[in-house]
Amino acid sequence: MMSDQVRKILSYYENDNAGVLANIRRMLGTGTLADTGKLVILPVDQGFEHGPSRSFGPNPDGYDPHYHFELAIEAGCNAYAAPYGSLEAGARTFAGEIPLILKINNNNALLSLKNPGQSITGSIEQALQLGCAAIGYTIYPGSDQAQGMYDTLQHLGEEAKNAGLAVVVWSYPRGEQISKEGETAVDVAGYAAQIACLLGAHFVKVKLPSEHLEQAAAKKVFEETKIPIATQAERVKHVVDSCFGGRRVVIFSGGAKKGADAVYDDARAIRDGGGNGSIVGRNAFQRPKKEAIAMLQKIMAIYKGE
Ligand code: FBP
């Protein structure tokens, strides 16, 4: 029986076919948070994005792709997101155990560009063949490569939806006209989330925003209309508002490994601001498995209001 929360979320996607809705339902209906309308997803593409030693050195069990499937399943996550090679490496062993998101583009830290882009590293056919529920695609609003990334997302998103797959967009502002602080500025975060929604994302993933306001024109409006941004929960609410007033699922990423209390504070702010959950990578897989599972379960308990 579908819960009211899930029914409401599915009602937001007014132009999607049954396959897409079934896959969104699969993600919302799996794990400890099944049917709550909240999600905790494990993303492991850091081997590509940051390199293997930076990613898995702190907990060498993570060099084995099977480890991340097990972590996501044992912790009761809603889904596991990773690039093609990692999903392929556990495809048979874990077939049907947890909804998968094929991360379909990636960047690497061996080349540092002021205006970064990503390469296409997977395909819709691969996602279907692996039994995935969704594709995951990163955009870098602010990069001079962003226009091309939007073009590609438009095409791949359309192809994915026609094939019955959901679309998850990682929206990470960066580029030479955005300051380091500006990458997580609350005005920029809202803008990045809005662009992802306008490009047809079902689920949007952004970093938690800071109180900084980057763009003068936006700053003026924040100040004149007194958009509240003093607390993390208020800033989450601004991002939720920017996601079609809550008509799209928005989840927030965990960032570099930090203390457990800070991770729980983030989850409380996401819950109180009306966000749909977390996508926690390094804070999970860089801890020993038992500790990581306990942390993910506590995050889930926070979302359940326990
Ligand atoms: P974390 O929880 O480890 O931050 O993972 C979230 C994530 O989006 C990963 O999917 C990705 O590899 C990483 O952040 C990219 O972060 P950045 O581009 O800022 O280094």
Side-chain angles (χ1 to χ4, degrees):
M1 182 74 175
M2 198 184 296
S3 69
D4 290 346
Q5 290 97 320
V6 171
R7 196 178 299 281
K8 187 168 174 202
I9 292 173
L10 290 181
S11 77
Y12 294 151
Y13 302 105
E14 299 200 10
N15 191 36
D16 282 297
N17 61 42
V20 170
L21 295 176
N23 276 320
I24 294 173
R25 166 87 183 102
R26 257 172 88 196
M27 291 188 279
L28 288 167
T30 297
T32 306
L33 289 174
D35 297 329
T36 61
K38 304 285 181 188
L39 299 122
V40 171
I41 295 175
L42 180 72
V44 190
D45 60 349
Q46 294 80 354
F48 212 133
E49 303 278 330
H50 306 147
S53 52
R54 273 173 63 194
S55 303
F56 309 127
N59 176 19
D61 289 342
Y63 284 113
D64 180 351
H66 280 211
Y67 178 79
H68 304 291
F69 281 91
E70 285 162 7
L71 177 58
I73 294 163
E74 288 171 32
C77 289
N78 297 71
Y80 167 52
Y84 181 63
S86 320
L87 293 187
E88 199 182 37
R92 179 180 303 115
T93 306
F94 302 99
E97 296 264 350
I98 186 167
L100 301 174
I101 301 169
L102 175 63
K103 187 70 201 341
I104 211 167
N105 66 345
N106 279 105
N107 188 15
N108 69 86
L110 295 170
L111 175 68
S112 169
L113 296 176
K114 282 189 184 148
N115 289 291
Q118 295 226 340
S119 304
I120 302 300
T121 54
S123 68
I124 305 304
E125 288 72 21
Q126 287 171 347
L128 291 171
Q129 186 256 338
L130 285 162
C132 292
I135 59 160
Y137 184 94
T138 295
I139 53 173
Y140 291 145
S143 169
D144 70 7
Q145 298 198 50
Q147 317 296 356
M149 298 176 98
Y150 302 157
D151 285 354
T152 308
L153 174 55
Q154 198 283 318
H155 293 298
L156 285 174
E158 187 178 5
E159 216 189 306
K161 290 177 182 183
N162 286 340
L165 295 166
V167 177
V168 183
V169 175
W170 277 229
S171 192
Y172 284 178
R174 55 191 66 175
E176 65 186 328
Q177 293 184 24
I178 297 185
S179 69
K180 195 71 204 155
E181 226 190 339
E183 290 180 0
T184 50
V186 63
D187 58 324
V188 174
Y191 201 162
Q194 165 93 165
I195 289 171
C197 293
L198 291 171
L199 282 164
H202 297 107
F203 293 3
V204 176
K205 172 191 184 202
V206 289
K207 295 188 180 184
L208 273 168
S210 73
E211 215 178 331
H212 178 66
L213 289 165
E214 175 80 350
Q215 296 204 292
K219 186 169 195 247
K220 197 162 168 270
V221 176
F222 270 82
E223 288 169 357
E224 279 173 7
T225 62
K226 299 190 171 42
I227 299 173
I229 53 167
T231 67
Q232 186 64 268
E234 287 170 341
R235 299 191 288 275
V236 165
K237 178 169 186 306
H238 175 68
V239 175
V240 171
D241 287 345
S242 302
C243 289
F244 296 171
R247 283 182 175 270
R248 292 293 176 266
V249 165
V250 58
I251 51 182
F252 293 83
S253 57
K257 191 179 164 202
K258 57 187 180 187
D261 287 342
V263 174
Y264 303 143
D265 284 346
D266 287 350
R268 286 185 198 102
I270 295 165
R271 178 197 63 198
D272 296 346
N276 297 86
S278 304
I279 177 152
V280 184
R282 285 163 288 179
N283 270 293
F285 68 74
Q286 290 186 345
R287 291 182 150 81
K289 199 187 207 181
K290 253 180 103 175
E291 210 182 295
I293 290 177
M295 161 174 283
L296 290 167
Q297 288 178 342
K298 170 122 191 212
I299 294 173
M300 292 165 192
I302 291 171
Y303 287 132
K304 282 177 141 181
E306 287 169 1

